[in-house]
Structure formats: C-alpha cells, structure tokens
Amino acid sequence: MWARLGFTDRVPAATTVWRLLIRLDAEGLSQVLARWLRERAGPVVVAGRRWRWRLVIAVDGKVARGARLSDGRQVHLLSAYGTSTGIVLAQVQIAAKSNEIPAFTPLLRLAAAVLGSLEGVLVVADALHAPTGHADLLAADGAHMMVAVKANQPTLFAQLKALPWGQVPVGAQTRKTGHGRKETRTVKAPTVETPGGLGFPHAEQAVRIVRTRTIKGKTSRETAYLTVSLPAGQAQPADLGTWARSEWHIEDRLHHVRDTTFREDAHQARAGNGPAIFATLRNTAIGVSPHRRRHQHRQGHPTCQPPPPRPHRRHDHRKPTMTRSNPTTQ
C-alpha cells in the first residue's frame, strides 16, 4: 500500500500523512469510502411481511465539539446513515451561518450517487427536517419520508394532536424489559381521509407512538407524532414502530461510538478539512467493524456470514499431566 501511494523512500511521518489528509476533498473521500463499503456489504434488502425495502436511511447531524475551523467555529456535520448496514452513505459539513435544513438536499444527492437511485428508499428524520421541501424532494426521486412533527410545524402538530385518537384501534404494541426498566410502545396509525388530508405534502398516514417507561417504580409517558408518505397497505403499524426506532440507530450505533470509542469530541483538529476527513475515517472504521457484522447476522442480515466459532479447548489425554507429588510416598 505504501508503494502504491507513491512513497519510494521511508515510511512517511504522521505529520506528512496529516498534511496529505487535510488537503483532500472531504465529500469526495466520503463518497469513495461509502461506495467501497457498499461493495463490501453487497446488495441489501430489508425484508418486511409484504414489502421489501432496499434501504432505510436515518438523517441526523453531529457537532465535533473539540474541533474548530480557522475562524473559531465548531464543525457541524450532517450524515445519511443506512440503518440496516451501518454504512454512512454521505456526509456534508454545514456551511457558516447556516443549519441542517439547507444541507439536506445536497446530502441526499450524494447518497443517491452512492446508491445509484433513491427509488423505494425510506428516509427517517427528526422534526428539524419537517419542511415541506424535503418531502417534495424525496417524492420527486421516488423515495418516501417518515418524519417527526413538533412545534416547529405548529399547524400540522395541532392537527395531529386533535385527531380522535381514542377511537383509533391499537395497531401494534411492544413490551421490553431490561437495564432496570420496563418499556411499552403503543403505535396507532390512521389514514386521514378528511378533505385535504394532512397539512403536509405526500403524507398518507398519521402516526402516534406512546412510550411508557417504568424505572425504579417511577413511570413516565412520552407521546410522539409523525407522518409517513406510505399508505397503510405498504406500512403496517408494526413496521412504522420499527422504522421510528431506526432513527435512533444513527445516535446509538454511530455518533455514540464516535464519541466514546474514538473520543471524537476530544480531537482538536483545526487545519483544512481535517475534522470532516477524520469523521469520515471513523465512520468507515465503524462500518467495517466485526461487531457490526455479528449484529447484522443476529438480525438476519442476508449478506452476512456467521462469525467463526470460538476454538473449544479440549483436554488432550495423550499428553502427560503434571501432578503434585505426595511427600509421604517419596
């Protein structure tokens, strides 16, 4: 690899490698490595009961708190994460005096370049990405969107809360116990057939998810409202609950690992594209980790082979065993 990179003398020092990396195009490197990871993983299909989706993408941003640009600003990165593969398909840096909303379109364009198309892809995102333009963009590319709705969309939020949820039957309910807590998730998903439907473009279903948690005898309740551009025939309540939780995968399996394992927030990169480049390298390391492959196998990932069995040590009776001598018999 050293020779293929064009080095003919000694192994370059770390500072030389650093000067090379900070001069690279961060988005270009992200695209090259994402394509390599996709080839490594093979074709991906997320199986449902009736429909088969090629990919579910979670979109979320993260601030590299220790890194600074030349003008002193923190580095804010927006990522598109394949929840079934653990691969960051695209990553863009938020421009100065801007936010994640204008970066959504170029991010999805880069993801489409890696995948070849967004046809049939489901994008899940938090309430920040509820502007109507995002839904129009994905619909034009044949993709679908599931987005949380909060006070930043006051009219839609009030409309969702006002729906007669008490008359809607429970579509799916899951109960989990672990880590000292009990959690129940209840999903209701009616198709709104009022004139004009929901006040959000391409929305087919309203979704309400009630999360009830009991920790050390104390019970809390949280209600989340979402919209999805898939009709009921293609998105059952159980699927909607799974997809809503997959939006957290980018936090738990990517951002949290970059913080705790790679100590990204402690990295005080400043020069050139260093912060974005090293975030891309961390994404790549996470994408190829053996833990990720084992996890996907447990979840029934079709392209992953089971991990090799651990060697079992057996006692070899052919070898003499050492026993402590009895002084009374010597």
Side-chain angles (χ1 to χ4, degrees), residues 59-302:
V59 173
D60 196 21
K62 181 184 183 300
V63 176
R65 302 188 182 280
R68 292 290 189 278
L69 300 177
S70 57
D71 57 3
R73 292 184 295 112
Q74 286 185 320
V75 178
H76 189 172
L77 301 169
L78 184 66
S79 302
Y81 176 81
T83 60
S84 61
T85 60
I87 297 172
V88 177
L89 300 168
Q91 178 179 271
V92 297
Q93 185 168 314
I94 307 301
K97 299 181 181 179
S98 185
N99 54 50
E100 294 183 13
I101 296 176
F104 184 88
T105 298
L107 177 76
L108 268 295
R109 294 301 183 207
L110 293 174
V114 172
L115 296 173
S117 170
L118 291 179
E119 182 74 28
V121 168
L122 176 67
V123 176
V124 294
D126 58 21
L128 182 62
H129 296 286
T132 58
H134 293 359
D136 291 333
L137 168 71
L138 293 172
D141 289 340
H144 299 278
M145 186 173 192
M146 184 174 183
V147 63
V149 178
K150 294 184 179 179
N152 61 330
Q153 292 279 356
T155 303
L156 178 59
F157 184 63
Q159 183 182 13
L160 290 175
K161 288 188 67 175
L163 291 176
W165 294 105
Q167 304 174 22
V168 179
V170 173
Q173 190 173 71
T174 60
R175 292 182 174 87
K176 296 185 68 176
T177 302
H179 304 286
R181 69 181 183 185
K182 297 179 180 179
E183 182 177 83
T184 301
R185 291 173 176 261
T186 304
V187 182
K188 294 184 176 183
T191 298
V192 180
E193 298 179 349
T194 56
L198 292 171
F200 193 76
H202 314 289
E204 293 282 348
Q205 296 185 79
V207 184
R208 190 185 78 168
I209 301 177
V210 178
R211 307 180 184 97
T212 304
R213 294 186 180 94
T214 301
I215 303 176
K216 296 181 179 180
K218 296 183 179 181
T219 301
S220 62
R221 181 174 177 174
E222 178 184 8
T223 302
Y225 296 96
L226 308 94
T227 65
V228 62
S229 63
L230 289 165
Q234 300 181 27
Q236 297 295 312
D239 302 322
L240 296 172
T242 299
W243 294 335
R245 294 194 68 179
S246 69
E247 196 264 324
W248 288 94
H249 290 184
I250 191 172
E251 289 284 350
D252 296 339
R253 302 178 184 179
L254 181 70
H255 294 167
H256 179 70
V257 177
R258 276 163 52 178
D259 280 341
T260 57
T261 303
F262 292 95
R263 300 182 62 200
E264 181 173 79
D265 286 351
H267 189 197
Q268 299 179 352
R270 293 177 180 269
N273 292 330
I277 290 292
F278 270 79
T280 295
L281 297 179
R282 295 182 190 107
N283 292 339
T284 305
I286 295 170
V288 299
S289 66
H291 172 74
R292 173 77 58 191
R293 301 305 173 193
R294 287 195 297 269
H295 173 80
Q296 291 173 346
H297 174 71
R298 288 196 297 268
Q299 298 298 322
H301 192 281

